[in-house]
């Protein structure tokens, strides 16, 4: 019944907020740099991973950071991931392997020719092993394919009951970062310049603080932007440009825009009817369609765990220019989502539900990413039964379009939203 | 029920002993463990695959038991609502053992940094069984820094302190060295038996060897040593089987285990297995861990510098594909069987490396996927038969 009423409001064609255009410009510049580097006109390329990324060190040597995860998601968002994935499957990767890796391997076999850029070959493979075990495999495979030198940074996972890294963990990581410096010197052909690193750290600190302020804005009603669909737009610059002036300026501009939207009492949708928290990466191949499925109900995501894989600035972290290596180490060890254990994630979600005032929790379970998904049934159990928050678990994928069933997804979301609506009407949930 | 090898009714030949052993580990109720616990008065800690520093558990006065899921012995009724369809079976069956109260005889459970599902499982255990001692070891993944030794040493000291909390025993360095000595002996005997099978796969079958190794997941190390010593003697007395098999190396089954009957079916389908990675964790070291000096440091050092190649251990000094090709040549194998647990991402990733290396080297291989909960093996068996025939006709 409610369904029929919604049928007429077909997909929202655009959402409010000006930062998307700004982001596009910056990311296009970045992709152009990649293409130039691939054509031999640019700095050496260092491949690294998103989770708790130590991009500051790369910037301090004027190297080009390349994030294969960003490349993979760009390809998926442009609806072009399937042929890349299939190429990898042809050479022996399983349907059950993370499709980010497969898209990237497929890209390798296409000589790095991606829809948005040509991706340079790596001059160094930096495995910042922050949480995800697939990272280790991925970089091992890239090393086999490219014969590029590899440097593993082993980040001990948070595993003690106090939820903190141990003193020995910190010493271990700092030591590895010290060993990394001469490797960067060799790859870049530049002597390590501590002043340059301090400058990068200053930009990074400011960027992180701006980002934290932006993220905190979504506690407002209405939320000035969507902490899932809009936040992921801003994550590109957060990783690729952190530690640069451009990156810092971008976040200054975004904060202004968001403040402006807030002062007008506006949000991404004409009306915010539901506030939701979301767990898990988005379905890049169907991002817009997925967003529309919630938007038609007036549902806005006010907090997301995915937007914290790169760092947890909103919970009090910022880089410390006076102690760069330790600060980068702490970022990787403690201040990101992926290096924290599964139960810490429950707590993070719970604080989102409580402090951000959410009506429900959506768990987007992606097949590719077991770091996120393995055990999310238990998470649902915890929230639905123990905490008593309406919780929806839906499954698809972040890269592989074959795992998104539109009709089924829509039915599940509609049923959930209907029940939330009902809860609201009868005042079951506050 | 035969729970220890010294029971009086035991049959003095290898097939007889092996048959009596399988109910040690094909028993989701861990009755043998309960009996050992009663007899020894020791607390019990279960360790999930792959490698676990059992010496520390033993030194703390605790009986370590390898918990590798429940095979095809139980129905999964609860755990599949917690872990999705695309997660391997051993994760779910281990959790199911917990939900069905079968792990209550274990004072603790120990997990390791082998893959993302196993890591999340440790958290899910903590939440669902708050009274149980649950620990998680992060093994180093940077093998070329000196720092990884100090780190692993500190990690072992942390775990040891937690084990001491559990048992109430204060562990001395001598206790650790004594434990290392015993497990070295067991590992040496397993290496000997592996060597024997490599030379005489028609005498010591893979099903037999597997059972002998797997018994060590349940038995005390002393009883396991006794068993392996006896097996070594008895294996020499067996008569060879006459069979038309190809010689293979089997890889990919290092964590979740195929049912014993599947291993038997694969062998029967025409394989002489010269080497495999079943139950790799209890055979982890390529040579003895030094049993004098600082025990913890030695264990850490052996992990870093003297352990086997494994899908769950990252070592930039090694190239897995190349190592496999070298091993095939060294052992004179005809082919490789890559046998991976369904949804096991580490195993599936390694397959892509192996496939490339084997194809480039012109070594035939067959890829099969299994699940611990399988009952019907004809599909895999037929695949292997066809593969074997194609090679024998060559
Ligand atoms: S498993 Fe998840 S975190 Fe790891 S590489 Fe794949 S998508 Fe990224
Ligand atoms: S079988 Fe593979 S995926 Fe499953 S727990 Fe073991 S290593 Fe992890």
């Amino acid at each position: 019944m409610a369904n029929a009423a919604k049928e007429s409001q077909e997909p929202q064609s655009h959402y409010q907020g000006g930062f998307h255009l700004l982001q596009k410009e910056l990311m296009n510049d970045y992709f152009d740099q990649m293409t130039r580097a691939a054509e031999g006109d640019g700095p050496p390329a260092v491949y690294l991973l998103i989770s708790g990324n130590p991009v500051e060190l790369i910037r301090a040597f004027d190297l080009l950071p390349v994030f294969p995860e960003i490349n993979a998601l760009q390809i998926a968002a442009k609806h072009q991931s399937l042929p890349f994935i299939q190429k990898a499957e042809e050479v022996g990767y399983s349907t059950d392997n993370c499709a980010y890796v497969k898209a990237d391997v497929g890209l390798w076999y296409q000589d790095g020719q991606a829809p948005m850029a040509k991706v340079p070959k790596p001059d160094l493979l930096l495995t910042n092993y922050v949480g995800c075990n697939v990272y280790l495999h991925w970089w091992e495979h890239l090393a086999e394919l490219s014969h590029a030198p590899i440097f593993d940074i082993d980040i001990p996972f948070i595993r003690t009951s106090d939820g903190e890294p141990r003193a020995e963990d910190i010493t271990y990581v700092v030591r590895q970062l010290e060993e990394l410096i001469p490797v960067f010197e060799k790859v870049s052909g530049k002597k390590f310049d501590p002043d340059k690193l301090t400058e990068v750290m200053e930009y990074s600190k400011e960027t992180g603080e701006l980002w934290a302020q932006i993220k905190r804005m979504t506690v407002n009603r209405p939320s000035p932007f969507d902490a899932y669909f809009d936040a992921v737009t801003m994550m590109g610059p957060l990783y690729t440009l952190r530690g640069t002036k451009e990156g810092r300026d971008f976040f200054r501009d975004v904060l202004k825009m968001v403040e402006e939207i807030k002062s007008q009492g506006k949000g991404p949708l004409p009306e915010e009817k539901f506030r939701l928290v979301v767990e898990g990466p988005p379905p890049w191949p169907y991002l817009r369609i997925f967003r529309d499925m919630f938007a038609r109900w007036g549902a806005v995501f006010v907090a997301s765990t995915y937007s914290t894989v790169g760092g947890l600035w909103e919970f009090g972290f910022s880089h410390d220019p006076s102690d760069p290596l330790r600060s980068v180490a702490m970022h990787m060890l403690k201040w990101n989502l992926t290096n924290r254990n599964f139960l810490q994630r429950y707590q993070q979600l719970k604080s989102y539900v409580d402090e951000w005032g959410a009506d429900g929790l959506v768990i987007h379970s992606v097949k590719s990413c077991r770091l996120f998904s393995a055990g999310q049934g238990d998470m649902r159990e915890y929230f639905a039964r123990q905490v008593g928050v309406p919780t929806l678990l839906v499954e698809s994928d972040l890269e592989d379009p074959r795992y998104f069933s539109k009709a089924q997804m829509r039915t599940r979301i509609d049923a959930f939203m209907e029940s939330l609506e009902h809860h609201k009407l009868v005042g079951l949930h506050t | 029920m035969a729970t220890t090898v010294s029971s009086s009714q035991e049959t003095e030949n290898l097939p007889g002993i092996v048959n009596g052993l399988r109910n040690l580990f094909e028993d989701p109720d861990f009755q043998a463990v309960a009996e050992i616990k009663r007899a020894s008065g020791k607390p019990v800690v279960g360790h999930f695959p792959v490698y676990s520093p059992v010496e520390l558990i033993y030194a703390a006065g605790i009986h370590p038991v390898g918990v590798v899921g429940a095979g095809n012995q139980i129905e999964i009724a609860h755990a599949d609502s917690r872990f999705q369809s695309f997660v391997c079976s051993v994760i779910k069956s281990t959790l199911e053992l917990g939900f069905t109260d079968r792990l209550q005889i274990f004072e603790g459970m120990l997990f390791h940094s082998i893959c993302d599902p196993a890591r999340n499982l440790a958290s899910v255990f903590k939440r669902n069984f708050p009274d149980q001692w649950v620990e998680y070891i992060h093994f180093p993944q940077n093998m070329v820094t000196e720092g990884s030794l100090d780190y692993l040493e500190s990690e072992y000291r942390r775990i040891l302190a937690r084990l001491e909390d559990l048992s109430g025993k204060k562990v001395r360095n001598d206790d650790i060295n004594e434990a290392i000595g015993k497990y070295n002996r067991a590992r040496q005997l397993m290496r000997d038996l592996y060597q024997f099978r490599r030379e005489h796969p028609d005498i010591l079958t893979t099903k037999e060897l597997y059972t002998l190794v797997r018994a060590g997941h349940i038995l005390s190390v002393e009883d396991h040593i006794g068993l392996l010593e006896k097996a070594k003697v008895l294996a020499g007395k067996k008569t060879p089987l006459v069979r038309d098999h190809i010689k293979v190396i089997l890889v990919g089954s290092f964590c979740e285990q195929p049912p014993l009957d599947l291993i038997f079916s694969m062998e029967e389908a025409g394989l002489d297995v010269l080497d495999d990675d079943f139950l790799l964790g209890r055979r982890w070291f390529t040579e003895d861990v030094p049993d004098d000096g600082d025990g913890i440091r030695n264990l850490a050092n052996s992990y870093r510098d003297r352990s086997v190649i494994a899908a769950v251990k990252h070592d930039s000094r090694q190239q897995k594909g190349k190592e496999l090709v070298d091993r095939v040549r060294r052992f004179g194998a005809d082919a490789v069987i890559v046998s991976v647990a369904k949804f096991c991402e580490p195993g599936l990733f390694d397959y892509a490396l192996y496939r490339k290396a084997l194809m480039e080297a012109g070594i035939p291989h067959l890829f099969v996927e299994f699940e611990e909960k399988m009952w019907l093996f004809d599909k895999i068996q037929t695949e292997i038969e066809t593969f074997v025939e194609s090679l024998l006709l060559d």
Side-chain angles (χ1 to χ4, degrees):
Chain A
M1 193 175 48
N3 247 351
K6 304 275 178 218
E7 268 330 315
S8 54
Q9 303 173 15
E10 260 324 297
Q12 295 271 343
S13 49
H14 52 86
Y15 296 92
Q16 300 169 32
F19 34 78
H20 299 88
L21 290 175
L22 206 58
Q23 183 266 6
K24 226 186 191 134
E25 241 172 72
L26 277 182
M27 290 307 284
N28 283 341
D29 280 353
Y30 168 71
F31 292 133
D32 288 347
Q33 275 180 44
M34 283 213 311
T35 303
R36 282 200 302 277
E39 285 160 355
D41 173 24
V46 178
Y47 281 27
L48 78 167
L49 295 134
I50 291 292
S51 298
N53 61 80
V55 75
E56 288 78 12
L57 302 178
I58 293 168
R59 288 284 172 200
F61 286 90
D62 289 322
L63 294 159
L64 179 67
V66 174
F67 293 92
E69 286 160 292
I70 294 185
N71 300 338
L73 78 84
Q74 286 285 339
I75 294 173
K78 294 188 184 333
H79 313 290
Q80 297 186 34
S81 57
L82 193 54
F84 291 98
I85 293 171
Q86 284 168 328
K87 176 68 210 170
E89 289 175 355
E90 250 168 57
V91 299
Y93 290 80
S94 162
T95 46
D96 297 313
N97 280 131
C98 169
Y100 266 13
V101 182
K102 285 187 284 185
D104 188 48
V105 168
L107 182 59
W108 179 270
Y109 283 100
Q110 306 302 325
D111 204 27
Q113 196 55 62
M116 68 291 168
K118 186 162 162 72
V119 179
K121 299 213 157 50
D123 294 289
L124 175 68
L125 291 161
L126 180 64
T127 332
N128 47 308
Y129 167 48
V130 181
C132 171
N133 279 286
V134 169
Y135 284 174
L136 295 166
H137 294 280
W138 190 348
W139 260 227
E140 180 183 10
H141 288 224
L142 285 176
E144 284 259 346
L145 291 170
S146 68
H147 305 291
I150 186 164
F151 189 100
D152 302 316
I153 319 177
D154 177 28
I155 309 296
F157 193 65
I158 302 266
R159 60 211 180 283
T160 52
S161 49
D162 62 2
E164 294 286 326
R166 307 182 66 231
E168 292 89 343
D169 299 352
I170 301 169
T171 311
Y172 175 39
V173 174
V174 170
R175 186 161 170 183
Q176 294 176 78
L177 295 180
E178 284 163 359
E179 290 168 358
L180 179 58
I181 301 282
V183 177
F184 277 147
E185 286 182 329
K186 199 166 158 213
V187 173
S188 65
K190 286 185 180 162
K191 207 78 215 108
F192 173 53
D193 174 359
D195 294 338
K196 167 91 183 171
L197 178 58
T198 308
E199 185 193 314
V200 169
M201 294 292 286
E202 296 280 4
Y203 281 127
S204 216
K205 175 178 156 62
E206 232 186 299
T207 302
E209 286 164 1
L210 288 161
W211 175 237
Q213 284 183 56
I214 295 167
K215 289 295 292 290
R216 283 267 162 191
M217 299 283 275
T218 55
V219 297
N220 290 291
R221 286 170 191 264
S223 171
F225 66 95
D226 189 291
Y228 197 36
F229 299 111
D230 295 326
V232 296
T233 311
M234 297 179 243
M235 283 164 63
L238 184 65
Y239 308 141
T240 57
L241 294 173
R242 204 173 67 246
T244 67
K245 180 174 176 303
E246 281 171 284
R248 192 270 322 266
D249 291 349
F250 170 76
F251 284 96
R252 270 192 189 161
D253 293 344
V254 172
L255 181 61
K256 264 190 225 131
M257 286 176 194
V258 172
E259 274 170 343
E260 168 84 17
I261 299 171
K262 190 204 137 195
S263 69
Q264 297 166 353
K266 284 190 180 164
L269 302 180
E271 192 192 347
E272 175 186 290
K273 292 191 193 141
F274 297 96
R275 296 168 69 80
L276 300 176
V277 169
V278 60
E279 144 80 359
W284 295 112
Y286 289 92
L287 193 66
R288 174 48 66 104
I289 289 170
F290 193 57
R291 182 172 197 172
D292 291 342
M293 287 179 181
F294 290 97
R296 56 200 283 275
W297 288 90
V300 173
F301 288 107
V302 293
S304 64
T305 46
Y306 181 66
S307 60
T308 61
V309 294
L312 277 164
W313 290 274
E314 69 213 58
F315 290 102
F317 175 66
S318 80
H319 282 92
D320 177 4
S322 72
D323 197 353
L325 293 191
R326 189 186 156 90
S327 167
V328 168
M330 289 306 283
H331 178 209
M332 290 193 281
L333 279 159
K334 178 181 175 183
W335 291 105
N336 64 81
L337 176 89
T338 43
N339 210 48
R340 296 188 170 193
N341 64 53
F342 204 41
L343 298 183
Q344 288 177 296
R345 202 185 319 157
Y346 291 16
Q347 290 319 304
Q348 185 177 333
L349 282 163
K350 186 158 182 313
S351 79
Y352 284 151
V353 170
D354 295 343
E355 290 171 43
W356 271 255
D359 303 306
L361 168 66
V362 175
I363 302 173
H364 181 228
S365 168
V366 300
K367 181 177 190 284
S368 273
C369 186
R370 291 171 177 84
L371 167 141
F372 259 103
S373 60
Q376 277 170 335
D378 187 72
M379 177 187 278
R380 173 183 53 191
E381 181 81 11
Y382 170 74
F383 281 98
R385 297 262 166 92
Q386 205 163 316
V387 183
V389 180
T391 302
L392 170 71
L393 188 147
V394 286
E395 287 187 23
S396 81
D397 197 63
L398 43 54
E399 181 78 13
D400 193 329
R402 293 170 296 189
Y403 295 103
F404 194 94
S405 156
K406 224 152 119 183
Q408 209 187 340
M409 184 68 87
R410 180 153 166 165
T411 311
R412 303 279 325 273
I413 291 171
D414 283 348
F416 178 68
M417 295 309 302
E418 258 177 61
S419 83
L420 272 192
E421 197 161 61
H422 180 72
H423 271 242
K424 276 215 154 165
L425 279 176
V426 299
L428 281 178
H429 188 71
T430 48
Chain B
M1 196 191 69
T3 54
T4 62
V5 282
S6 51
S7 69
S8 55
Q9 321 90 306
E10 107 201 1
T11 327
E12 281 301 322
N13 63 57
L14 202 50
I17 290 180
V18 162
N19 269 337
L21 286 172
R22 65 185 287 173
N23 58 0
L24 280 182
F25 56 88
E26 287 188 334
D27 169 19
D29 296 313
F30 296 98
Q31 293 182 54
V33 174
E35 214 168 289
I36 292 167
K37 190 174 171 172
R38 248 195 318 276
S40 68
K42 284 181 172 187
V44 181
V45 163
H47 64 82
F48 197 71
V50 177
Y51 170 73
S52 193
V54 283
E55 285 89 343
L56 299 182
I57 305 175
Y58 178 92
I62 300 171
H63 178 55
V65 172
V67 176
V68 197
N72 56 13
Q73 304 290 311
I74 61 171
E75 283 289 325
I76 307 287
H78 313 88
D80 51 359
S81 71
R82 308 301 174 95
F83 281 87
Q84 298 91 324
S85 56
F86 50 78
V87 174
C88 68
S89 181
V90 68
I91 293 281
K92 287 182 251 189
S93 66
T94 302
L95 182 59
E96 190 73 20
L97 287 173
F99 281 143
T100 50
D101 294 337
R102 289 176 162 106
L103 297 180
Q104 274 181 358
I105 60 163
F106 292 80
E107 272 76 11
M109 283 293 292
L110 180 53
F111 298 89
H112 321 90
S113 53
I114 55 169
C115 64
D116 296 333
R119 189 190 52 210
N120 290 1
L121 179 63
S123 284
V124 171
F125 254 80
K126 270 196 187 157
R127 189 180 89 76
N128 286 281
F129 314 112
D131 298 332
Q132 199 170 39
W133 179 106
V134 177
E135 264 302 339
Y136 179 82
I137 296 180
H138 176 100
F139 284 115
Q141 301 282 9
N142 177 350
M143 301 298 180
V144 296
T145 171
E146 271 306 293
S148 55
L149 269 188
D150 294 344
Y151 161 75
L152 186 55
E153 188 185 329
S154 80
E155 181 69 345
Y156 282 167
R157 292 200 191 283
R158 177 181 76 83
I159 289 293
L160 186 62
R162 292 277 290 134
L163 290 163
E164 287 173 336
D165 287 347
L166 190 60
S167 69
K169 177 182 169 190
K170 187 86 201 108
V171 177
R172 296 163 309 135
N173 187 46
D174 285 351
D175 299 328
I176 299 172
N177 279 334
E178 185 201 324
I180 291 174
K182 286 184 175 168
Y183 282 96
N184 272 345
R185 177 74 189 134
R187 282 186 293 257
Q188 180 58 51
L189 285 161
M190 288 188 272
R191 283 199 294 272
D192 291 350
L193 286 165
Y194 262 73
Q195 162 105 29
F196 184 85
R197 180 194 53 173
R198 184 145 66 242
E199 288 155 9
H200 309 286
D202 51 343
I203 297 183
L204 177 60
T205 68
T206 294
K207 180 188 168 184
E208 289 165 346
L209 179 57
Y210 179 87
T211 307
L212 291 167
V213 174
R214 182 84 190 249
H217 274 58
I218 304 287
L219 297 174
S220 70
V221 64
E222 293 85 358
D223 280 351
H224 193 218
I225 290 171
L227 169 68
L228 296 171
E229 278 171 343
K230 185 176 292 175
K232 224 176 123 174
V233 174
L234 292 174
K237 294 184 184 157
K238 271 183 76 191
T239 33
L241 304 161
V242 183
R243 48 190 202 179
D244 207 1
H245 281 190
I246 59 163
K247 293 186 168 68
V248 298
I249 290 177
L250 184 146
V251 288
S253 307
F254 47 86
C255 181
E256 180 172 322
Q257 296 296 296
L260 185 60
D261 290 330
L262 173 56
I263 295 176
F264 179 66
S265 303
M266 289 166 80
E267 200 173 7
E268 287 291 288
L271 305 181
D272 274 351
V273 180
L274 304 188
D275 199 12
D276 62 58
D277 59 3
F278 296 131
L279 306 167
L280 194 60
R282 287 287 184 110
R283 306 186 285 114
W284 194 249
F285 299 111
T286 49
E287 54 185 89
D288 281 353
V289 180
D291 61 359
D292 52 0
D294 184 336
I296 288 196
R297 187 80 180 175
N298 286 334
L299 280 172
N301 216 324
S302 291
Y303 183 92
R304 198 187 63 169
D305 292 334
R306 288 182 293 279
S307 59
V308 293
I309 287 196
V312 294
K313 189 189 73 182
H314 191 66
D315 190 339
S316 58
R317 297 169 298 187
Q318 298 166 335
Q319 274 183 296
K320 288 177 187 152
K322 184 176 173 302
E323 189 280 339
L324 180 60
V325 168
D326 290 348
R327 191 147 43 113
V328 167
R329 302 225 161 103
R330 203 163 66 245
F331 293 171
D334 305 308
V336 170
I337 305 292
V338 185
S339 151
V340 180
K342 204 157 171 32
F343 305 117
C344 172
E345 225 175 348
L348 291 168
F349 271 125
D350 273 8
Y351 171 56
L353 293 179
Y354 290 150
R355 181 181 179 275
K356 185 165 174 283
L358 291 168
M359 285 174 74
E360 280 166 11
I363 298 166
H365 78 272
L366 177 70
F367 172 77
V368 292
E369 269 181 312
F370 70 85
E371 275 192 289
E372 56 166 16
K373 60 184 183 206
M374 290 171 102
W375 278 104
L376 300 172
F377 315 130
D378 13 338
K379 189 171 159 280
I380 293 185
Q381 197 168 2
T382 311
E383 277 170 20
I384 294 179
E385 276 164 3
T386 313
F387 180 69
V388 170
E389 274 163 29
S390 74
L391 286 187
L392 287 176
L393 291 177
D394 256 4

